[in-house]
Amino acid sequence: MLLHYVLRRLAFFIGAMFIASVLIFVLIRAAGGNVAAVVLGRDASPEAINALATEYGLDRPWAVQYLDWITGMMGGDLGQSFRTGESVADLVVSRLPISVPLAGAGLVLAILIAIPAGTYAARNAGRSSGTLIALISQIGIAVPVFWAGVLLSLLFGVQLGWLPTGGWTPWNVSVLGAIQSLVLPVLALGLVMAASLSRYVRTAVLDVMNQDYVRTARATGMSQTRALLTVGLPNAALPIVTFLGLLIAELIGGTVIIETVFSLPGLSRMILSNVAAREVIVVQSTVMLIIVFVMFVNLVVDLLYGLLDPRIRVAG
Amino acid sequence: MPQADTSNQNATVPEASPHRRRRRRISNASLLVGLALTSVFFIIALVSFFYVPHDPNMPDVRNRLLPFGSPGHLFGTDVLGRDIASQLMVGAQTSLLVGVGGAAIALVLGTIAGLAAASSGKLVDETIMRGADVLLSIPGIVTALVLAATIGSGAGTTILALTAFFTPSFTRVIRSAALTVLEENYITAARLYGRDRIFILARHVVPNIAGVMIVQFTLYFAVGILVESSLSYLGVGVSRPSMSWGLILNEAQQQVGVSSPLAMWPGLAIVLVVLGLNLLGDGLRDVLDPKLNGRRS
């Protein structure tokens, strides 16, 4: 049964990636017009346009180009930039030392804040202290992540002068400098994500608190805290794990925005500037990489879920 | 006619516990505060179609960087002397238009897809829901970037991106709400009476899930405003001469140090409107849809 479940999820993962890749390819090619002409600009001669199109294989049928792109991606060849000729894989890898620590630390900070805050709010539901936490997270959800970034950089960067308001010091130049340039972005990202996450934790804990098995555990003489930790937490973990899967999409969106706020030359800055420059191959491959990543996380979450909860793998 | 559940009519009504009374009070308060904030925002947006104090794009070099409360320029002016109050008012239009547009189109599409999935056989149901799963795993911001790269940025593109982003979520929620209704006895009765599927869906299912639809619409309206302002801030949303709160913030950040109050107002506007809509949605949920209490989409 477990094997059946795993195979089903794997089949869906592969099918979903196929659909997403076709969608992206067709969308970009259909609306992009003559890619070579757009890249070379208005003054380019027809010969130059044709030469570039031939060089990058843009004059071949779409189906061939698609197959070429997909087989290349599977072998790790993400294509090249038209303008600079750099390989997309190198471009992506060079941006990861900024984007990955930013997103990772932001997520960790959000979890570290949200789990205690959400649990506290649930246990004190109906009292003013619990309501206050719920209210704060309600307001936090309404704060756009870029505004949080702008406010933090105004306060700690401009007013107090403690941290840089933006820009990037590479890790190999100064580790301390790199960390300093990440502190405010991580704070902004983590605080804003903590708001929606803590609301979710609160609901999950409230649900569990009202279950019979927690009451039974309490009846055996366990304290509320102990009952929640030993019986409640494993049960509340399931919905929270699911939500973390959904949160990945939010995390990527937030990272894109925060990198812009603090002028960090990360992955999303690269995508944005390539969108503006109509670098079709770069955008297509990078976007596909992000989607594969998100789908992979969702696959892992699904598998974990099936592993943790037998009912789900039976129902499929 | 849809029948109400009469099974517990004779049961004694339990005394409201202090906890429950408190809950009710909180939900009434959030409904009222939410309604008030949302109304103010709608009124400002509507007024701005007919009247703004100044042209939000008109530079006025003699009145650059006026502070808050200056005569004629209540919220002051930016680095080019453009009136901030007018920019904020016209920005409300964009938020309203894009938020309502994206949420409304997605609601219509999601209702059609969700009802079709709930009322059809396993094959159609699976196809629609797995399709929704695929769309859900593409981050909204990525969709928006791809669309901006291909068809160019603007309010229309933003609405399209929001539609692609919201429709699968609506489909899921509508489907599960419709499935519950479809199990009711009055549906079986209507079926036995010979009513066809479309009639049953339109006449019996939709009115019974209207509460869920209204609540979801309100909450996604709020998300739409957040996404629109983010995209405009990134430079892939609306741009001048159109106006957006995100755009004002983007311009303000480039003048940080010179005019930091400028960064306060648009952010505050976004927070108040989104908070208002979320409170309204939560309050409405408690009134319209007691079964979904405390659960978020």
Side-chain angles (χ1 to χ4, degrees):
Chain A
M1 219 52 205
L2 183 61
L3 182 71
H4 183 69
Y5 177 76
V6 170
L7 286 178
R8 269 184 65 113
R9 300 317 307 176
L10 271 178
F12 173 70
F13 174 65
I14 293 167
M17 281 205 307
F18 172 70
I19 296 174
S21 66
V22 172
L23 221 64
I24 286 172
F25 185 84
V26 171
L27 194 63
I28 288 186
R29 292 305 150 97
N34 186 339
V35 175
V38 173
V39 169
L40 289 176
R42 260 173 222 168
D43 305 328
S45 67
E47 291 79 25
I49 291 172
N50 283 335
L52 187 82
T54 314
E55 191 188 339
Y56 284 91
L58 297 169
D59 49 356
R60 296 171 302 165
W62 279 13
V64 178
Q65 289 189 46
Y66 171 78
L67 281 178
D68 197 40
W69 174 54
I70 285 300
T71 44
M73 288 270 292
M74 283 189 231
D77 173 17
L78 307 184
Q80 283 135 22
S81 150
F82 293 128
R83 285 202 178 76
T84 61
E86 276 174 287
S87 98
V88 178
D90 288 349
L91 278 175
V92 169
V93 169
S94 71
R95 306 301 178 111
L96 290 183
I98 300 166
S99 300
V100 171
L102 170 58
L107 183 63
V108 170
L109 180 65
I111 293 173
L112 286 181
I113 298 171
I115 291 191
T119 312
Y120 181 84
R123 293 194 52 185
N124 293 288
R127 294 195 203 115
S128 8
S129 54
T131 310
L132 183 70
I133 301 268
L135 186 70
I136 292 173
S137 70
Q138 181 72 275
I139 294 173
I141 291 172
V143 174
V145 68
F146 59 91
W147 195 49
V150 170
L151 289 185
L152 284 174
S153 98
L154 275 178
L155 179 62
F156 293 104
V158 178
Q159 294 281 335
L160 300 172
W162 290 352
L163 288 157
T165 55
W168 172 246
T169 314
W171 292 99
N172 54 15
V173 172
S174 156
V175 173
L176 188 67
I179 291 174
Q180 278 181 338
S181 26
L182 282 177
V183 170
L184 290 180
V186 166
L187 262 183
L189 195 58
L191 286 176
V192 170
M193 284 206 309
S196 56
L197 185 58
S198 73
R199 212 177 135 91
Y200 199 82
V201 171
R202 175 177 176 271
T203 313
V205 174
L206 267 180
D207 270 358
V208 166
M209 265 169 57
N210 296 324
Q211 296 294 327
D212 293 342
Y213 47 76
V214 172
R215 199 187 47 203
T216 309
R218 289 273 283 143
T220 66
M222 273 190 205
S223 67
Q224 173 93 27
T225 311
R226 187 113 190 265
L228 274 180
L229 283 179
T230 53
V231 210
L233 193 64
N235 284 287
L238 276 174
I240 293 176
V241 164
T242 318
F243 188 67
L244 284 180
L246 295 176
L247 208 63
I248 292 297
E250 194 188 328
L251 179 67
I252 287 175
T255 309
V256 170
I257 295 165
I258 275 300
E259 283 183 3
T260 305
V261 175
F262 290 95
S263 326
L264 293 172
L267 200 55
S268 46
R269 294 289 291 167
M270 181 195 122
I271 301 177
L272 274 175
S273 60
N274 281 297
V275 164
R278 298 248 170 176
E279 283 272 12
V280 176
I281 307 273
V282 183
V283 175
Q284 177 178 299
S285 293
T286 328
V287 162
M288 193 61 214
L289 269 188
I290 292 177
I291 292 176
V292 170
F293 173 70
V294 174
M295 285 183 172
F296 181 73
V297 171
N298 281 322
L299 174 73
V300 172
V301 167
D302 274 350
L303 291 180
L304 266 181
Y305 213 99
L307 211 63
L308 291 173
D309 190 344
R311 282 169 308 179
I312 289 164
R313 62 176 183 254
V314 173
Chain B
M1 231 192 96
Q3 281 172 289
D5 177 19
T6 53
S7 57
N8 63 354
Q9 218 167 42
N10 295 324
T12 45
V13 180
E15 285 277 299
S17 68
H19 181 78
R20 183 163 298 174
R21 244 183 282 136
R22 188 175 185 114
R23 256 207 77 84
R24 167 130 319 158
R25 231 177 27 234
I26 289 173
S27 102
N28 281 342
S30 78
L31 192 65
L32 285 179
V33 174
L35 199 61
L37 286 172
T38 312
S39 311
V40 169
F41 160 70
F42 265 87
I43 291 168
I44 290 173
L46 290 180
V47 166
S48 75
F49 279 106
F50 306 105
Y51 168 79
V52 274
H54 299 269
D55 179 348
N57 287 303
M58 183 63 84
D60 179 1
V61 268
R62 280 170 308 164
N63 287 316
R64 293 171 58 220
L65 293 171
L66 291 181
F68 178 76
S70 306
H73 297 281
L74 182 59
F75 282 77
T77 55
D78 68 7
V79 78
L80 294 175
R82 295 173 295 202
D83 183 51
I84 293 169
S86 309
Q87 296 186 37
L88 288 171
M89 286 176 72
V90 180
Q93 281 179 18
T94 307
S95 293
L96 179 90
L97 214 68
V98 172
V100 168
I105 299 174
L107 181 64
V108 171
L109 295 179
T111 304
I112 295 173
L115 289 178
S119 64
S120 307
K122 194 159 191 263
L123 183 70
V124 177
D125 188 17
E126 279 281 304
T127 312
I128 293 178
M129 295 325 289
R130 292 296 84 79
D133 285 348
V134 173
L135 283 179
L136 269 181
S137 51
I138 303 178
I141 195 120
V142 169
T143 314
L145 287 180
V146 170
L147 288 176
T150 52
I151 58 179
S153 52
T157 310
T158 311
I159 292 179
L160 194 63
L162 288 178
T163 307
F165 181 39
F166 292 166
T167 304
S169 312
F170 276 123
T171 306
R172 273 190 178 176
V173 176
I174 298 288
R175 173 181 173 272
S176 70
L179 277 178
T180 320
V181 175
L182 282 169
E183 277 169 12
E184 297 288 344
N185 286 332
Y186 54 81
I187 300 289
T188 318
R191 236 182 238 140
L192 290 174
Y193 191 70
R195 297 298 195 192
D196 65 10
R197 186 165 71 146
I198 304 292
F199 182 89
I200 291 176
L201 288 177
R203 185 66 193 274
H204 296 309
V205 178
V206 170
N208 278 295
I209 60 171
V212 180
M213 289 165 68
I214 294 171
V215 170
Q216 292 297 314
F217 176 81
T218 314
L219 296 177
Y220 278 94
F221 184 179
V223 178
I225 290 178
L226 278 177
V227 174
E228 185 280 319
S229 63
S230 307
L231 293 176
S232 296
Y233 173 82
L234 289 178
V236 289
V238 307
S239 44
R240 283 186 188 268
S242 290
M243 189 53 61
S244 154
W245 292 336
L247 183 65
I248 305 175
L249 252 164
N250 177 318
E251 292 178 356
Q253 204 197 356
Q254 290 163 19
Q255 306 152 18
V256 152
V258 192
S259 157
S260 50
L262 195 55
M264 296 302 296
W265 304 120
L268 214 54
I270 296 167
V271 171
L272 288 177
V273 172
V274 173
L275 182 66
L277 282 166
N278 280 337
L279 289 175
L280 183 65
D282 284 355
L284 281 175
R285 169 163 37 212
D286 288 346
V287 175
L288 297 174
D289 186 23
K291 271 174 284 185
L292 277 175
N293 245 341
R295 211 176 292 167
R296 261 180 89 84
S297 53

